Amino acid sequence: MARVALGITGGIGAYKAVEVARGLQKRGHDVVAVMTRNARRFVGPVTLEAITRHPVVTSQWTAGTNADIEHISLASSIDLLLVAPATANILGKFAGGIADDFLSALYLATAAPVLVAPAMNSNMLEHPAVRQNIGTLEARGVLFVEPGVGYLACGWTGKGRLAEPDDIAEAADRLLRGSRSLEGRRVLVTAGPTFEDLDPVRFIGNRSSGRMGFAVAREAARRGALVTLVAGPTSIDPPPNAELVRVRSAAEMHEAVMTRLESADIVVMAAAVADYAPESKDDRKPAKADQGLTVTLRRTPDILAGIGAWRVARGSARPVLVGFAAETDDAVNKGRKKLASKRADFVAVNDVLEPGAGFEVETNVVTLVGPDWEEALPLQPKSSVAAAILDRAERLLGPQAGGAA
Ligand code: CTP
């Protein structure tokens, strides 16, 4: 049985928190409800107190709350902080580190995983300020249960409804159960673009941000894996809990990956590796001439295909090998061809032109394609895509030698 702090904030979906609490209890967990001032306008603390059989925390100023600094003692005793529903306001406070009430202070004080189920009007959800806050929280490892599409209390129809209470309880339960499922495993992840230098100033690169690979690395580390993250040049911060190997070019990434293959249980090639690099690099910056410029490019090593061939040569099924395929048309068919030619176990295919997919966004639309199966994932945060990829990879990995899961 795990202990879950259920944070409830002031949205119309607050009444559904009662069902979320029930769902958690049905799955065997102990729930302590933490309500913000506005949540209490929508649902009474007495209801939650009766359901959870614990006093509901409503304020850090309640008499008795400070005897043992409750937000600190609760912070260290919980296995999960779940916020459902989460308003735009609480996301902003979490992202900005504001601690002006019990729930926001609890978020800062706890080391437990944090799962958030946002609910708000569709325009609010799509507002760049909210998207940015979600992105910031995701980059810190906060996990999300995507809001649903449907009729909203404000009279609109669109995305923003609180996810179904049972789905929220299930996501929380999965998180609590599966939390150390990669304990003792080594996961090697590549992320970001590669830059192929023309001279000391100019290079050929691509638009990959590293977000997808970072999300995989973060999720693998959260599951207890020892993660090595080989990252090309990116401007976003990599997760803190992975060994970071910085590289610049495809050749450097190739070297970094091939020398670490032996010990890897899973390799996820999320990097957007340049296919071509300039044949030669100028040591100085050449001045421009009047005529055009012709640059000769040569092929870079195909790292994923190299690992596939390495496995075949050794007659081994290890490491479990996951590729990506970034396409702009006929994505799944092209992904299937890459799967075969690179001899990976499965590929995560995305059409980068689809709204919500691709490089600079926090979400992705991916179909996982294996030799005789495919799984189309809905539009969801890259953290959820990462979880789905690792769920599949874990299944292929099977039980650990020596018996541990
Ligand atoms: N990849 C790689 N080494 C390269 C190019 C790609 O390891 N030199 C990997 C990527 O990390 C990804 C997969 O191969 O996991 C597919 O990458 P993608 O760019 O979609 O395909 P390409 O193999 O480059 O094929 P094309 O450009 O023809 O679509």
Side-chain angles (χ1 to χ4, degrees):
M1 176 171 84
R3 189 163 203 232
V4 180
L6 173 60
I8 306 164
T9 67
I12 184 71
Y15 74 94
K16 294 190 189 165
V18 175
E19 279 180 64
V20 176
R22 272 256 184 267
L24 289 166
Q25 288 174 324
K26 258 194 276 165
R27 290 166 175 83
H29 305 303
D30 185 31
V31 182
V32 180
V34 177
M35 299 181 76
T36 64
R37 187 161 50 91
N38 287 334
R40 302 200 304 277
R41 297 175 196 264
F42 291 96
V43 59
V46 179
T47 312
L48 279 140
E49 187 171 311
I51 298 250
T52 61
R53 295 192 200 96
H54 287 295
V56 174
V57 186
T58 53
S59 161
Q60 70 262 55
W61 306 123
T62 313
T65 315
N66 292 294
D68 61 351
I69 322 272
E70 184 152 341
H71 65 267
I72 303 296
S73 70
L74 185 63
S76 52
S77 73
I78 55 175
D79 301 294
L80 174 71
L81 170 60
L82 167 65
V83 186
T87 55
N89 187 50
I90 199 74
L91 296 177
K93 288 209 267 183
F94 283 3
I98 293 169
D100 66 348
D101 64 6
F102 192 94
L103 182 58
S104 49
L106 180 62
Y107 164 72
L108 291 185
T110 191
V114 180
L115 179 66
V116 172
M120 66 196 78
N121 160 279
S122 341
N123 277 4
M124 290 173 77
L125 187 64
E126 289 314 316
H127 194 284
V130 175
R131 298 311 314 164
Q132 193 177 351
N133 288 336
I134 290 177
T136 302
L137 293 172
E138 280 210 313
R140 272 186 219 146
V142 171
L143 297 160
F144 284 83
V145 186
E146 275 287 278
V149 177
Y151 178 77
L152 304 176
C154 56
W156 294 28
T157 300
K159 189 169 174 184
R161 273 171 75 95
L162 183 67
E164 288 306 316
D166 203 55
D167 292 344
I168 298 172
E170 183 58 30
D173 186 49
R174 216 178 315 125
L175 197 74
L176 289 162
R177 269 187 295 118
S179 49
R180 305 300 290 175
S181 52
L182 281 172
E183 191 84 62
R185 304 290 199 167
R186 289 184 177 271
V187 178
L188 178 61
V189 183
T190 66
T194 64
F195 286 178
E196 311 302 327
D197 290 330
L198 288 153
D199 60 45
V201 179
R202 288 164 291 206
F203 61 85
I204 299 173
N206 64 66
R207 290 174 53 194
S208 170
S209 64
R211 284 189 171 83
M212 192 60 244
F214 287 4
V216 174
R218 191 176 298 116
E219 176 63 15
R222 200 188 60 70
R223 294 180 184 201
L226 291 163
V227 181
T228 302
L229 175 59
V230 179
T234 60
S235 56
I236 60 165
D237 290 334
N241 41 8
E243 180 208 0
L244 180 66
V245 181
R246 277 286 184 194
V247 295
R248 184 169 173 82
S249 63
E252 283 177 19
M253 185 173 280
H254 183 243
E255 163 84 15
V257 168
M258 297 312 281
T259 53
R260 288 171 174 81
L261 269 190
E262 194 77 47
S263 58
D265 294 299
I266 298 174
V267 176
V268 181
M269 279 292 308
V273 188
D275 291 321
Y276 299 94
E279 195 159 60
S280 60
K281 179 185 161 191
D282 279 307
D283 293 337
R284 291 164 191 275
K285 179 186 166 217
K288 65 176 168 301
D290 286 340
Q291 65 275 31
L293 173 71
T294 303
V295 178
T296 306
L297 302 174
R298 58 170 167 72
R299 280 291 306 270
T300 55
D302 188 320
I303 306 170
L304 182 58
I307 307 169
W310 184 88
R311 284 197 318 178
V312 171
R314 290 163 54 107
S316 166
R318 290 288 160 85
V320 170
L321 186 53
V322 185
F324 271 74
E327 307 294 349
T328 52
D329 61 288
D330 198 18
V332 170
N333 281 332
K334 289 189 175 169
R336 197 169 283 290
K337 284 192 188 129
K338 282 182 192 172
L339 172 74
S341 68
K342 301 188 188 224
R343 294 183 276 199
D345 292 307
F346 65 94
V347 287
V349 185
N350 65 330
D351 184 333
V352 291
L353 299 184
E354 246 186 75
F359 298 123
E360 278 112 17
V361 291
E362 300 293 345
T363 51
N364 214 348
V365 190
V366 161
T367 303
L368 304 182
V369 178
D372 51 9
W373 56 269
E374 64 187 61
E375 179 185 355
L377 305 174
L379 170 72
Q380 55 188 350
K382 286 181 175 170
S383 57
S384 309
V385 176
I389 288 170
L390 288 173
D391 285 348
R392 278 277 176 188
E394 276 185 34
R395 261 186 263 165
L396 292 169
L397 202 54
Q400 181 139 247

